[in-house]
Protein backbone atom coordinates (compact mmCIF):
# COMPACT_ATOMS: atom_id res chain seq x y z
CA UNK A 1 0.00 0.00 0.00
CA UNK A 2 2.81 2.34 0.85
CA UNK A 3 4.55 1.60 -2.34
CA UNK A 4 1.40 2.33 -4.25
CA UNK A 5 1.07 5.70 -2.57
CA UNK A 6 4.63 6.49 -3.44
CA UNK A 7 4.02 5.60 -7.08
CA UNK A 8 0.89 7.68 -7.17
CA UNK A 9 2.74 10.59 -5.66
CA UNK A 10 5.56 10.28 -8.18
CA UNK A 11 3.08 10.07 -11.02
CA UNK A 12 1.32 13.21 -9.85
CA UNK A 13 4.63 15.03 -9.56
CA UNK A 14 5.60 13.92 -13.05
CA UNK A 15 2.26 15.05 -14.43
CA UNK A 16 2.61 18.41 -12.72
CA UNK A 17 6.12 18.88 -14.06
CA UNK A 18 4.96 17.86 -17.54
CA UNK A 19 2.06 20.29 -17.39
CA UNK A 20 4.34 23.03 -16.16
CA UNK A 21 6.72 22.30 -19.00
CA UNK A 22 3.89 22.36 -21.53
CA UNK A 23 2.59 25.63 -20.13
CA UNK A 24 6.07 27.10 -20.35
CA UNK A 25 6.53 25.92 -23.93
CA UNK A 26 3.12 27.25 -24.88
CA UNK A 27 3.94 30.65 -23.39
CA UNK A 28 7.26 30.70 -25.24
CA UNK A 29 5.57 29.76 -28.51
CA UNK A 30 2.95 32.47 -28.01
CA UNK A 31 5.71 34.96 -27.27
CA UNK A 32 7.60 33.87 -30.40
CA UNK A 33 4.42 34.12 -32.47
CA UNK A 34 3.77 37.60 -31.08
CA UNK A 35 7.32 38.64 -31.94
CA UNK A 36 7.08 37.11 -35.43
CA UNK A 37 3.77 38.91 -35.91
CA UNK A 38 5.40 42.14 -34.76
CA UNK A 39 8.31 41.53 -37.14
CA UNK A 40 5.81 40.99 -39.98
CA UNK A 41 4.00 44.22 -39.14
CA UNK A 42 7.25 46.15 -38.93
CA UNK A 43 8.52 44.58 -42.16
CA UNK A 44 5.27 45.44 -43.96
CA UNK A 45 5.38 48.97 -42.58
CA UNK A 46 9.01 49.39 -43.58
CA UNK A 47 8.23 47.98 -47.06
CA UNK A 48 5.26 50.32 -47.42
CA UNK A 49 7.32 53.29 -46.29
CA UNK A 50 10.08 52.27 -48.65
CA UNK A 51 7.63 52.04 -51.57
CA UNK A 52 6.15 55.42 -50.68
CA UNK A 53 9.62 56.90 -50.39
CA UNK A 54 10.53 55.41 -53.78
CA UNK A 55 7.37 56.86 -55.33
CA UNK A 56 8.14 60.24 -53.81
CA UNK A 57 11.68 60.09 -55.13
CA UNK A 58 10.43 59.09 -58.62
CA UNK A 59 7.91 61.96 -58.53
CA UNK A 60 10.63 64.35 -57.36
CA UNK A 61 12.96 63.18 -60.13
CA UNK A 62 10.20 63.61 -62.73
CA UNK A 63 9.45 67.07 -61.37
CA UNK A 64 13.12 67.97 -61.48
CA UNK A 65 13.34 66.71 -65.07
CA UNK A 66 10.32 68.83 -66.01
CA UNK A 67 11.75 71.82 -64.17
CA UNK A 68 15.05 71.29 -65.93
CA UNK A 69 13.32 71.16 -69.31
CA UNK A 70 11.24 74.22 -68.45
CA UNK A 71 14.37 76.05 -67.32
CA UNK A 72 16.15 75.08 -70.54
CA UNK A 73 13.15 76.32 -72.59
CA UNK A 74 13.02 79.53 -70.57
CA UNK A 75 16.74 80.08 -71.07
CA UNK A 76 16.35 79.51 -74.81
CA UNK A 77 13.40 81.92 -74.83
CA UNK A 78 15.39 84.48 -72.86
CA UNK A 79 18.25 84.15 -75.31
CA UNK A 80 15.87 84.67 -78.22
CA UNK A 81 14.28 87.65 -76.51
CA UNK A 82 17.68 89.19 -75.72
CA UNK A 83 18.64 88.82 -79.38
CA UNK A 84 15.37 90.44 -80.42
CA UNK A 85 15.76 93.28 -77.91
CA UNK A 86 19.23 93.93 -79.30
CA UNK A 87 17.81 94.02 -82.83
CA UNK A 88 14.97 96.29 -81.74
CA UNK A 89 17.41 98.59 -79.94
CA UNK A 90 19.50 98.72 -83.09
CA UNK A 91 16.37 99.52 -85.07
CA UNK A 92 15.26 102.23 -82.64
CA UNK A 93 18.74 103.72 -82.61
CA UNK A 94 18.58 104.01 -86.37
CA UNK A 95 15.29 105.89 -85.98
CA UNK A 96 16.13 108.16 -83.04
CA UNK A 97 19.82 107.77 -82.40
CA UNK A 98 22.22 110.61 -81.77
CA UNK A 99 24.97 111.55 -84.16
CA UNK A 100 27.85 109.08 -83.96
CA UNK A 101 30.99 110.13 -82.12
CA UNK A 102 33.20 108.74 -84.87
CA UNK A 103 33.12 109.12 -88.61
CA UNK A 104 31.61 106.21 -90.52
CA UNK A 105 33.08 105.14 -93.79
CA UNK A 106 30.46 105.87 -96.47
CA UNK A 107 31.72 102.99 -98.58
CA UNK A 108 31.23 100.59 -95.67
CA UNK A 109 27.62 101.76 -95.22
CA UNK A 110 26.98 101.34 -98.93
CA UNK A 111 28.39 97.82 -98.80
CA UNK A 112 26.11 96.92 -95.87
CA UNK A 113 23.03 98.28 -97.67
CA UNK A 114 24.01 96.34 -100.78
CA UNK A 115 24.32 93.11 -98.77
CA UNK A 116 20.80 93.57 -97.36
CA UNK A 117 19.34 94.28 -100.77
CA UNK A 118 21.08 91.28 -102.32
CA UNK A 119 19.75 89.05 -99.55
CA UNK A 120 16.22 90.25 -100.27
CA UNK A 121 16.76 89.53 -103.97
CA UNK A 122 17.98 85.99 -103.28
CA UNK A 123 15.89 83.13 -104.59
CA UNK A 124 13.23 82.10 -102.11
CA UNK A 125 13.85 78.67 -100.56
CA UNK A 126 10.44 77.01 -100.38
CA UNK A 127 9.58 75.18 -97.18
CA UNK A 128 7.18 72.81 -98.97
CA UNK A 129 6.62 71.43 -102.46
CA UNK A 130 3.30 73.26 -102.77
CA UNK A 131 2.61 74.41 -106.34
CA UNK A 132 -1.10 75.23 -106.16
CA UNK A 133 -2.51 78.41 -107.63
CA UNK A 134 -6.06 79.64 -107.94
CA UNK A 135 -7.96 78.86 -111.12
CA UNK A 136 -11.37 80.36 -110.36
CA UNK A 137 -14.07 80.77 -107.75
CA UNK A 138 -16.06 77.53 -107.74
CA UNK A 139 -18.79 78.51 -105.29
CA UNK A 140 -19.81 81.17 -102.80
CA UNK A 141 -21.76 80.82 -99.55
CA UNK A 142 -22.98 83.65 -97.33
CA UNK A 143 -23.21 82.24 -93.81
CA UNK A 144 -24.61 85.11 -91.73
CA UNK A 145 -23.99 88.64 -90.55
CA UNK A 146 -22.21 89.16 -87.23
CA UNK A 147 -20.50 92.40 -86.34
CA UNK A 148 -19.69 95.67 -87.99
CA UNK A 149 -18.71 96.63 -91.54
CA UNK A 150 -15.05 95.67 -91.03
CA UNK A 151 -13.48 92.69 -89.34
CA UNK A 152 -11.91 89.30 -89.93
CA UNK A 153 -12.93 85.69 -89.42
CA UNK A 154 -10.94 82.51 -89.93
CA UNK A 155 -10.10 79.03 -88.77
CA UNK A 156 -6.72 77.96 -87.40
CA UNK A 157 -4.70 77.67 -90.60
CA UNK A 158 -2.13 75.33 -89.03
CA UNK A 159 -4.40 72.74 -87.42
CA UNK A 160 -7.56 70.68 -87.89
CA UNK A 161 -9.22 71.94 -84.72
CA UNK A 162 -12.30 73.16 -86.60
CA UNK A 163 -12.63 76.20 -84.33
CA UNK A 164 -13.79 79.49 -85.84
CA UNK A 165 -12.43 82.85 -84.68
CA UNK A 166 -14.24 86.17 -85.09
CA UNK A 167 -12.32 89.48 -84.90
CA UNK A 168 -15.08 92.11 -85.04
CA UNK A 169 -13.98 95.67 -85.77
CA UNK A 170 -10.61 97.27 -86.38
CA UNK A 171 -9.71 98.46 -82.86
CA UNK A 172 -10.99 95.86 -80.37
CA UNK A 173 -9.51 93.38 -77.90
CA UNK A 174 -12.02 90.49 -77.72
CA UNK A 175 -11.96 87.43 -79.99
CA UNK A 176 -15.06 85.24 -80.27
CA UNK A 177 -14.20 81.55 -80.52
CA UNK A 178 -16.74 79.03 -81.83
CA UNK A 179 -16.27 75.26 -81.63
CA UNK A 180 -17.17 74.74 -85.29
CA UNK A 181 -18.68 76.34 -88.38
CA UNK A 182 -22.03 74.78 -87.40
CA UNK A 183 -21.90 76.36 -83.93
CA UNK A 184 -21.15 79.70 -85.53
CA UNK A 185 -23.98 79.31 -88.05
CA UNK A 186 -26.72 78.36 -85.55
CA UNK A 187 -25.60 80.76 -82.82
CA UNK A 188 -27.73 83.81 -82.10
CA UNK A 189 -25.06 86.44 -82.62
CA UNK A 190 -22.10 85.43 -80.45
CA UNK A 191 -24.15 83.70 -77.73
CA UNK A 192 -22.47 80.31 -78.29
CA UNK A 193 -18.95 81.75 -78.46
CA UNK A 194 -16.15 81.64 -75.95
CA UNK A 195 -14.67 85.10 -75.46
CA UNK A 196 -10.90 85.53 -75.52
CA UNK A 197 -9.73 88.81 -74.02
CA UNK A 198 -6.45 90.03 -75.49
CA UNK A 199 -3.97 92.08 -73.43
CA UNK A 200 -4.10 94.91 -75.97
CA UNK A 201 -6.37 96.02 -78.86
CA UNK A 202 -5.57 94.97 -82.40
CA UNK A 203 -5.19 97.38 -85.27
CA UNK A 204 -7.00 96.90 -88.59
CA UNK A 205 -8.29 93.58 -89.90
CA UNK A 206 -5.03 91.90 -90.89
CA UNK A 207 -4.86 89.20 -88.21
CA UNK A 208 -4.43 85.46 -88.53
CA UNK A 209 -4.66 82.31 -86.40
CA UNK A 210 -1.88 79.78 -86.92
CA UNK A 211 -0.97 76.70 -84.84
CA UNK A 212 -3.07 77.68 -81.79
CA UNK A 213 -1.72 81.24 -81.76
CA UNK A 214 -3.37 84.51 -82.73
CA UNK A 215 -1.07 86.91 -84.56
CA UNK A 216 -2.13 90.55 -84.59
CA UNK A 217 -0.74 94.08 -84.85
CA UNK A 218 -0.58 96.53 -81.95
CA UNK A 219 -0.03 100.12 -83.02
CA UNK A 220 1.85 102.64 -80.90
CA UNK A 221 5.04 104.57 -81.49
CA UNK A 222 6.06 101.61 -83.60
CA UNK A 223 4.24 98.66 -85.10
CA UNK A 224 4.46 95.67 -82.77
CA UNK A 225 3.48 92.14 -83.76
CA UNK A 226 1.87 90.13 -80.97
CA UNK A 227 1.86 86.33 -80.83
CA UNK A 228 -0.88 85.26 -78.39
CA UNK A 229 -1.23 81.66 -77.17
CA UNK A 230 -4.92 80.77 -77.40
CA UNK A 231 -4.47 77.62 -75.29
CA UNK A 232 -3.00 79.12 -72.12
CA UNK A 233 -4.13 82.71 -72.61
CA UNK A 234 -0.75 84.45 -72.57
CA UNK A 235 1.50 86.45 -74.87
CA UNK A 236 3.98 83.97 -76.31
CA UNK A 237 6.12 86.61 -78.02
CA UNK A 238 6.17 90.08 -79.52
CA UNK A 239 8.44 92.00 -81.85
CA UNK A 240 8.72 95.41 -83.45
CA UNK A 241 8.07 95.26 -87.18
CA UNK A 242 11.20 96.98 -88.55
CA UNK A 243 9.80 99.25 -91.25
CA UNK A 244 10.06 103.01 -91.50
CA UNK A 245 7.12 105.32 -92.17
CA UNK A 246 4.46 102.68 -92.67
CA UNK A 247 1.26 103.48 -94.57
CA UNK A 248 -2.01 101.52 -94.95
CA UNK A 249 -1.63 98.42 -97.09
CA UNK A 250 -4.89 98.85 -99.01
CA UNK A 251 -6.42 102.19 -99.92
CA UNK A 252 -9.97 100.85 -99.42
CA UNK A 253 -9.12 99.39 -95.99
CA UNK A 254 -7.00 102.19 -94.47
CA UNK A 255 -7.21 100.76 -90.94
CA UNK A 256 -4.99 97.81 -91.90
CA UNK A 257 -1.31 98.72 -91.65
CA UNK A 258 -0.02 95.13 -91.79
CA UNK A 259 -1.97 92.19 -93.18
CA UNK A 260 -0.74 88.94 -91.61
CA UNK A 261 -1.44 85.73 -93.49
CA UNK A 262 -0.56 82.05 -93.22
CA UNK A 263 -0.43 79.44 -95.96
CA UNK A 264 1.32 76.16 -96.70
CA UNK A 265 4.68 77.93 -96.41
CA UNK A 266 4.07 79.52 -93.01
CA UNK A 267 3.58 83.11 -91.82
CA UNK A 268 3.66 86.22 -94.04
CA UNK A 269 3.26 89.97 -93.57
CA UNK A 270 1.84 92.23 -96.30
CA UNK A 271 2.67 95.88 -95.69
CA UNK A 272 3.53 99.20 -97.33
CA UNK A 273 5.85 102.14 -96.58
CA UNK A 274 6.27 105.70 -97.79
CA UNK A 275 9.40 104.58 -99.63
CA UNK A 276 7.26 102.33 -101.83
CA UNK A 277 4.02 104.19 -101.15
CA UNK A 278 2.30 103.29 -104.39
CA UNK A 279 3.00 99.58 -104.12
CA UNK A 280 2.60 96.73 -101.66
CA UNK A 281 5.55 94.96 -100.01
CA UNK A 282 5.82 91.43 -98.64
CA UNK A 283 7.82 89.76 -95.86
CA UNK A 284 8.28 86.08 -94.99
CA UNK A 285 8.34 85.60 -91.23
CA UNK A 286 9.37 82.93 -88.77
CA UNK A 287 6.15 82.00 -86.95
CA UNK A 288 8.10 80.87 -83.88
CA UNK A 289 10.38 83.86 -83.33
CA UNK A 290 8.62 86.59 -85.40
CA UNK A 291 11.92 87.22 -87.17
CA UNK A 292 11.78 88.45 -90.78
CA UNK A 293 13.41 85.93 -93.11
CA UNK A 294 13.08 87.73 -96.44
CA UNK A 295 11.40 90.82 -97.94
CA UNK A 296 10.13 91.77 -101.40
CA UNK A 297 8.76 94.86 -103.13
CA UNK A 298 5.85 93.79 -105.34
CA UNK A 299 4.50 95.53 -108.45
CA UNK A 300 0.98 95.46 -106.96
CA UNK A 301 -0.45 98.96 -106.40
CA UNK A 302 -2.18 99.97 -103.17
CA UNK A 303 -4.67 102.20 -104.96
CA UNK A 304 -8.20 100.77 -105.09
CA UNK A 305 -7.06 97.58 -103.31
CA UNK A 306 -9.45 95.94 -100.85
CA UNK A 307 -7.51 93.01 -99.43
CA UNK A 308 -5.14 90.19 -100.39
CA UNK A 309 -4.53 86.51 -99.67
CA UNK A 310 -1.59 84.14 -100.12
CA UNK A 311 -1.53 80.62 -101.58
CA UNK A 312 1.74 78.65 -101.76
CA UNK A 313 3.83 81.81 -101.55
CA UNK A 314 1.82 83.69 -104.16
CA UNK A 315 0.09 86.96 -103.23
CA UNK A 316 -3.27 87.66 -104.87
CA UNK A 317 -4.35 91.30 -104.46
CA UNK A 318 -8.09 91.97 -104.87
CA UNK A 319 -9.29 95.31 -106.22
CA UNK A 320 -12.63 97.03 -106.45
CA UNK A 321 -14.00 97.20 -109.98
CA UNK A 322 -16.40 99.43 -111.85
CA UNK A 323 -18.94 96.62 -111.66
CA UNK A 324 -21.21 97.23 -108.63
CA UNK A 325 -21.19 93.68 -107.28
CA UNK A 326 -17.74 92.35 -108.13
CA UNK A 327 -14.15 92.42 -106.96
CA UNK A 328 -11.29 91.11 -109.03
CA UNK A 329 -7.76 89.73 -108.62
CA UNK A 330 -5.78 92.19 -110.70
CA UNK A 331 -2.25 91.71 -109.42
CA UNK A 332 -0.31 88.55 -108.57
CA UNK A 333 3.17 88.26 -107.10
CA UNK A 334 4.91 84.91 -106.67
CA UNK A 335 8.05 84.79 -104.50
CA UNK A 336 9.30 81.77 -106.49
CA UNK A 337 8.84 83.57 -109.85
CA UNK A 338 6.68 80.70 -111.14
CA UNK A 339 3.60 82.88 -111.70
CA UNK A 340 3.39 86.32 -113.30
CA UNK A 341 0.47 88.65 -113.95
CA UNK A 342 0.38 87.40 -117.51
CA UNK A 343 -0.04 83.82 -116.25
CA UNK A 344 -2.58 84.71 -113.60
CA UNK A 345 -6.19 83.70 -114.30
CA UNK A 346 -9.04 86.19 -114.46
CA UNK A 347 -10.69 85.73 -111.06
CA UNK A 348 -13.79 87.64 -109.97
CA UNK A 349 -15.27 87.65 -106.47
CA UNK A 350 -19.05 88.04 -106.68
CA UNK A 351 -19.33 90.27 -103.64
CA UNK A 352 -22.80 91.31 -102.62
CA UNK A 353 -22.55 94.23 -100.18
CA UNK A 354 -19.57 96.55 -99.78
CA UNK A 355 -15.88 95.77 -100.12
CA UNK A 356 -13.86 93.01 -98.51
CA UNK A 357 -12.08 94.13 -95.37
CA UNK A 358 -10.25 90.78 -95.12
CA UNK A 359 -9.65 87.62 -97.16
CA UNK A 360 -8.08 84.65 -95.35
CA UNK A 361 -7.10 81.49 -97.22
CA UNK A 362 -7.32 78.11 -95.50
CA UNK A 363 -5.04 75.61 -97.28
CA UNK A 364 -6.58 72.60 -95.50
CA UNK A 365 -10.01 73.35 -96.99
CA UNK A 366 -9.06 75.42 -100.04
CA UNK A 367 -11.57 78.03 -98.86
CA UNK A 368 -11.31 81.78 -98.49
CA UNK A 369 -12.92 83.27 -95.38
CA UNK A 370 -14.13 86.75 -96.37
CA UNK A 371 -15.60 89.63 -94.37
CA UNK A 372 -17.84 91.85 -96.50
CA UNK A 373 -19.70 94.68 -94.74
CA UNK A 374 -20.32 92.51 -91.65
CA UNK A 375 -21.26 89.40 -93.64
CA UNK A 376 -19.17 86.24 -93.23
CA UNK A 377 -18.68 84.62 -96.64
CA UNK A 378 -16.96 81.44 -97.82
CA UNK A 379 -15.44 81.21 -101.29
CA UNK A 380 -14.68 77.70 -102.57
CA UNK A 381 -11.63 77.72 -104.85
CA UNK A 382 -10.84 75.66 -107.91
CA UNK A 383 -7.07 75.10 -108.04
CA UNK A 384 -4.46 74.24 -110.64
CA UNK A 385 -0.69 73.69 -110.58
CA UNK A 386 1.95 76.33 -111.19
CA UNK A 387 4.15 75.80 -114.19
CA UNK A 388 7.90 76.37 -114.14
CA UNK A 389 8.79 79.55 -116.00
Amino acid sequence: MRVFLILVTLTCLADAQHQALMDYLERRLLAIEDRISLWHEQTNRYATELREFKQQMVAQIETLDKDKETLRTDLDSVGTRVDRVEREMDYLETQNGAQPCVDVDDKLVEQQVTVVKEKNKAKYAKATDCRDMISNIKAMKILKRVGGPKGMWTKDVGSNSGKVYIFNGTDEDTIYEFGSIRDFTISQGTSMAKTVKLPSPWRGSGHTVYNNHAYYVKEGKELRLIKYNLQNGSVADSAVFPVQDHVPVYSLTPETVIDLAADEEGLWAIYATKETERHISLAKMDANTLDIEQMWDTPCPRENAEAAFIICGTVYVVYNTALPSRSRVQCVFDVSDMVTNDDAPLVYFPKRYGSHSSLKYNPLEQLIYAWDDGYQILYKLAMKKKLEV
Side-chain angles (χ1 to χ4, degrees):
M1 184 64 181
R2 189 175 181 181
V3 173
F4 175 75
L5 291 173
I6 294 171
L7 291 173
V8 170
T9 301
L10 291 174
T11 301
C12 290
L13 289 172
D15 290 341
Q17 291 178 349
H18 181 268
Q19 185 62 39
L21 179 61
M22 293 300 295
D23 292 343
Y24 171 76
L25 292 176
E26 185 175 357
R27 288 194 300 272
R28 293 295 296 172
L29 288 173
L30 289 174
I32 292 172
E33 288 178 355
D34 291 341
R35 184 160 295 181
I36 291 174
S37 177
L38 179 61
W39 288 344
H40 278 301
E41 291 178 1
Q42 292 177 342
T43 302
N44 291 335
R45 186 171 68 252
Y46 293 154
T48 301
E49 292 176 354
L50 184 60
R51 282 194 298 270
E52 292 176 352
F53 179 73
K54 180 181 178 182
Q55 292 173 354
Q56 292 175 359
M57 289 300 100
V58 170
Q60 290 289 339
I61 291 173
E62 291 177 352
T63 302
L64 289 174
D65 288 340
K66 292 179 181 178
D67 291 343
K68 183 175 70 175
E69 188 62 31
T70 302
L71 181 59
R72 181 183 294 110
T73 303
D74 291 343
L75 289 174
D76 292 341
S77 177
V78 168
T80 302
R81 289 175 180 271
V82 169
D83 292 340
R84 180 171 295 112
V85 168
E86 290 177 349
R87 289 195 299 271
E88 291 180 3
M89 291 297 294
D90 291 340
Y91 168 71
L92 293 175
E93 286 175 1
T94 62
Q95 303 300 303
N96 304 304
Q99 292 295 324
C101 298
V102 297
D103 294 332
V104 179
D105 189 345
D106 290 338
K107 291 185 177 179
L108 179 60
V109 173
E110 291 177 1
Q111 289 174 358
Q112 292 173 342
V113 172
T114 302
V115 168
V116 172
K117 290 183 176 180
E118 290 302 321
K119 180 180 178 182
N120 290 337
K121 292 179 181 178
K123 184 176 177 61
Y124 173 68
K126 289 176 67 66
T128 69
D129 59 355
C130 177
R131 295 178 56 198
D132 289 336
M133 64 177 291
I134 187 172
S135 175
N136 58 67
I137 305 295
K138 185 186 299 185
M140 168 188 175
K141 183 176 182 179
I142 302 172
L143 269 73
K144 61 190 303 183
R145 187 177 192 181
V146 173
K150 294 185 178 182
M152 190 280 292
W153 77 300
T154 185
K155 279 187 177 180
D156 187 336
V157 178
S159 73
N160 286 307
S161 68
K163 293 180 180 179
V164 175
Y165 299 91
I166 305 294
F167 293 72
N168 180 32
T170 59
D171 188 19
E172 302 292 338
D173 61 2
T174 301
I175 305 173
Y176 297 97
E177 177 187 292
F178 292 86
S180 64
I181 285 283
R182 183 177 182 277
D183 290 347
F184 170 65
T185 304
I186 66 177
S187 174
Q188 294 293 326
T190 58
S191 60
M192 294 179 63
K194 169 189 173 184
T195 58
V196 179
K197 185 80 169 179
L198 298 175
S200 57
W202 62 71
R203 173 64 175 166
S205 55
H207 340 293
T208 192
V209 178
Y210 183 60
N211 285 337
N212 299 310
H213 290 83
Y215 295 81
Y216 67 97
V217 177
K218 174 185 176 183
E219 189 173 26
K221 292 183 179 180
E222 68 274 327
L223 294 180
R224 180 169 289 275
L225 305 183
I226 308 295
K227 178 182 178 181
Y228 185 80
N229 190 318
L230 293 168
Q231 292 182 317
N232 61 26
S234 65
V235 175
D237 213 339
S238 69
V240 172
F241 193 74
V243 297
Q244 302 178 26
D245 302 324
H246 63 272
V247 295
V249 188
Y250 316 112
S251 66
L252 298 184
T253 313
E255 301 85 356
T256 300
V257 288
I258 296 179
D259 192 2
L260 300 171
D263 69 348
E264 299 86 349
E265 291 286 301
L267 185 66
W268 304 84
I270 307 170
Y271 66 98
T273 65
K274 287 185 179 180
E275 183 181 356
T276 59
E277 185 172 359
R278 294 185 59 188
H279 296 90
I280 291 170
S281 297
L282 177 67
K284 179 67 178 67
M285 304 195 67
D286 186 323
N288 294 319
T289 64
L290 298 181
D291 291 336
I292 293 180
E293 299 175 344
Q294 203 165 342
M295 305 174 83
W296 298 265
D297 294 330
T298 79
C300 300
R302 296 173 50 250
E303 185 65 27
N304 214 31
E306 297 180 353
F309 57 94
I310 301 180
I311 301 176
C312 293
T314 302
V315 183
Y316 299 82
V317 185
V318 178
Y319 296 84
N320 201 359
T321 67
L323 299 174
S325 62
R326 280 188 168 185
S327 298
R328 176 187 169 187
V329 174
Q330 288 184 246
C331 187
V332 174
F333 177 77
D334 181 25
V335 296
S336 299
D337 295 327
M338 296 175 65
V339 180
T340 65
N341 275 320
D342 295 334
D343 305 317
L346 189 63
V347 179
Y348 282 97
F349 286 82
K351 71 179 190 298
R352 293 290 184 268
Y353 305 104
S355 64
H356 298 106
S357 63
S358 66
L359 296 166
K360 298 298 174 180
Y361 172 67
N362 188 306
L364 302 176
E365 303 172 315
Q366 293 188 339
L367 291 173
I368 289 180
Y369 288 69
W371 190 291
D372 181 359
D373 197 26
Y375 289 89
Q376 290 72 48
I377 302 174
L378 288 175
Y379 293 109
K380 180 65 177 177
L381 305 181
M383 310 297 286
K384 64 181 183 179
K385 296 297 180 183
K386 300 177 183 178
L387 298 177
E388 294 284 355
V389 179

